[in-house]
Amino acid sequence: LCGDLKMQMPFPFSLLCLQVIKCKAAVVWEANKPFSIEDVEVAPPKEHEVRVKIVATGICRSDDHVITGALVMPFPIILGHEAAGVVESVGQGVTAVKPGDKVIPLFVPQCGVCPNCLNTKSNLCSKTDLGTSGGLMADGTTRFTCKGKAIHHFLGTSTFTEYTVLHESAVAKIDSAAPLEKVCLIGCGFSTGYGAALQTAKVEPGSTCAVFGLGGVGLSVIMGCKAAEASRIIAVDINSDKFAKAKELGATDCINPKDFNKPIHEVLTEMTGGGVDYSFEVIGRTDTMTAALACCQYNYGVSVIVGVPPAAQKITFDPMLLFSGRSWKGSVFGGWKSKDAVPKLVADYMKKKFVLDPLITHTLPFTKINEGFDLLRTGK
């Protein structure tokens, strides 16, 4: 209807359709405080922006890192970055999507014109809010207000709200038949882990892998290692309750560091006769990052940091770990160029090339978001 009206009316289209939306959002007013379900105002999208109705959103450890201060962002803020929804309206100049399209928000955008987007080796668009702690749209303002106060955005996505506004470079149009409550995981957790194995590490058939941390992202790393035909995939976690799911998704061995009296890197080195070919740290702790590096084969092993490193912490390690030939890499969003890759990953899911259901432990109504985070923090 809006499209038809736009064709018929000579005066500005925004006067007809693009109004402020009042809806519910989960606002974090200050650090170490629970989410507060609030009535917020969501402004219309400006030029090259898109307003999206969020249908499903996942809970990620990175969201919790903001609450605890491990990932520094300004407050008050609307968190959330792993989601799927439907375009409600678009600002001037938007051509990639239209109202009614199913989309996945992209916390790593793809502008297509910056040096990183143009480089085949890079996926971290220079327009990303990751690491800048900005919390604002490109024009330096926010699209959210609550109780007369401006509310910050998170990673350019902010999906813990019924409606959000994103730059058009931060949305990917997907298959209209895709189940949004499943493919929302492709917005972060699944893609991050799966791509860390396939895109960043480039795991090879017959290789050995160790995965530290068996949350949703760690399990997705296991799925990526299996898809790459690794011969041995060793899952490492201090919560043995996670081992059954890890084996279901492809782990060949599961070990709990608490069961040993020696450092876990020594255990893994002995298990594999000299260290694994590839290791992945999917927790976000400096001690496990160095353990993952040390458990790699000393000359050609590759270790990938997937978990978000804690703010204001440094790593101290023996430089001989790298001098002997190991490689240490980081991986954001699995190394995928987001706008290009996300629709293809959704298509692969629709073709049953991988599963997502095992990664979903609970489905909760939006108003129970604090209960969801309690489940995350207790390893459930």
Side-chain angles (χ1 to χ4, degrees):
L1 175 60
C2 285
D4 292 340
L5 289 170
K6 182 179 180 183
M7 296 299 293
Q8 296 169 20
M9 299 298 181
F11 47 85
F13 177 53
S14 59
L15 296 179
L16 288 170
C17 293
L18 302 189
Q19 306 295 328
V20 171
I21 286 179
K22 294 184 178 180
C23 67
K24 298 290 184 183
V27 178
V28 182
W29 291 99
E30 54 185 298
N32 296 304
K33 291 296 175 70
F35 292 89
S36 178
I37 302 297
E38 304 279 6
D39 293 311
V40 301
E41 296 84 37
V42 183
K46 294 186 179 181
E47 188 174 9
H48 295 296
E49 293 178 355
V50 180
R51 189 160 59 184
V52 174
K53 179 180 181 179
I54 298 297
V55 173
T57 185
I59 288 173
C60 180
R61 180 68 72 175
S62 301
D63 301 308
D64 195 43
H65 284 338
V66 178
I67 297 171
T68 63
L71 183 60
V72 178
M73 291 284 168
F75 293 95
I77 192 168
I78 294 174
L79 297 172
H81 62 284
E82 177 183 86
V86 178
V87 174
E88 177 270 336
S89 58
V90 299
Q92 186 178 351
V94 174
T95 58
V97 296
K98 64 184 184 303
D101 284 346
K102 285 187 175 181
V103 293
I104 287 180
L106 308 171
F107 74 92
V108 174
Q110 185 181 346
C111 72
V113 295
C114 74
N116 283 2
C117 283
L118 294 174
N119 191 314
T120 57
K121 298 178 181 178
S122 170
N123 78 311
L124 193 56
C125 175
S126 61
K127 300 292 196 299
T128 182
D129 197 29
L130 188 66
T132 65
S133 303
L136 300 171
M137 297 297 283
D139 66 353
T141 64
T142 175
R143 303 294 170 267
F144 301 117
T145 54
C146 180
K147 300 176 180 176
K149 295 182 179 179
I151 308 298
H152 291 91
H153 295 250
F154 178 54
L155 300 182
T157 50
S158 288
T159 62
F160 292 163
T161 171
E162 292 176 320
Y163 288 86
T164 191
V165 176
L166 311 101
H167 192 271
E168 68 173 330
S169 64
V171 290
K173 181 180 175 180
I174 60 169
D175 186 342
S176 61
L180 299 185
E181 74 282 4
K182 312 286 187 187
V183 298
C184 65
L185 298 180
I186 293 174
C188 178
F190 172 77
S191 302
T192 296
Y194 195 67
L198 295 175
Q199 289 283 114
T200 305
K202 292 180 168 51
V203 172
E204 298 160 320
S207 57
T208 57
C209 304
V211 181
F212 288 69
L214 303 178
V217 182
L219 293 173
S220 299
V221 173
I222 290 173
M223 294 167 70
C225 292
K226 183 180 180 182
E229 300 180 3
S231 63
R232 195 172 186 188
I233 305 168
I234 306 169
V236 184
D237 203 295
I238 58 173
N239 182 354
S240 298
D241 292 342
K242 298 191 174 187
F243 291 167
K245 185 69 67 69
K247 287 188 174 180
E248 175 190 340
L249 292 174
T252 57
D253 307 77
C254 294
I255 60 174
N256 188 329
K258 292 182 176 180
D259 294 339
F260 301 91
N261 294 321
K262 62 176 66 175
I264 192 62
H265 72 273
E266 294 182 10
V267 174
L268 288 162
T269 301
E270 291 174 7
M271 283 178 67
T272 55
V276 297
D277 299 311
Y278 301 96
S279 69
F280 303 85
E281 200 281 350
V282 205
I283 303 167
R285 291 175 56 97
T286 55
D287 54 348
T288 44
M289 289 174 187
T290 51
L293 177 66
C295 81
C296 277
Q297 205 281 341
Y298 70 92
N299 184 225
Y300 56 77
V302 176
S303 187
V304 182
I305 295 174
V306 187
V308 177
Q313 288 195 25
K314 307 296 181 186
I315 293 182
T316 301
F317 67 98
D318 182 352
M320 281 298 294
L321 289 172
L322 293 177
F323 178 74
S324 61
R326 293 179 179 88
S327 297
W328 211 358
K329 307 185 76 171
S331 181
V332 178
F333 195 59
W336 305 107
K337 284 188 181 291
S338 59
K339 217 171 173 68
D340 293 340
V342 164
K344 294 177 183 176
L345 287 168
V346 171
D348 284 348
Y349 170 74
M350 298 298 283
K351 295 173 186 173
K352 297 182 167 51
K353 291 188 177 180
F354 56 80
V355 295
L356 292 173
D357 281 41
L359 302 177
I360 301 171
T361 59
H362 299 76
T363 302
L364 299 170
F366 184 45
T367 53
K368 292 190 176 181
I369 188 169
N370 285 305
E371 293 180 31
F373 273 82
D374 288 341
L375 290 166
L376 175 77
R377 292 162 186 149
T378 53
K380 297 175 182 176

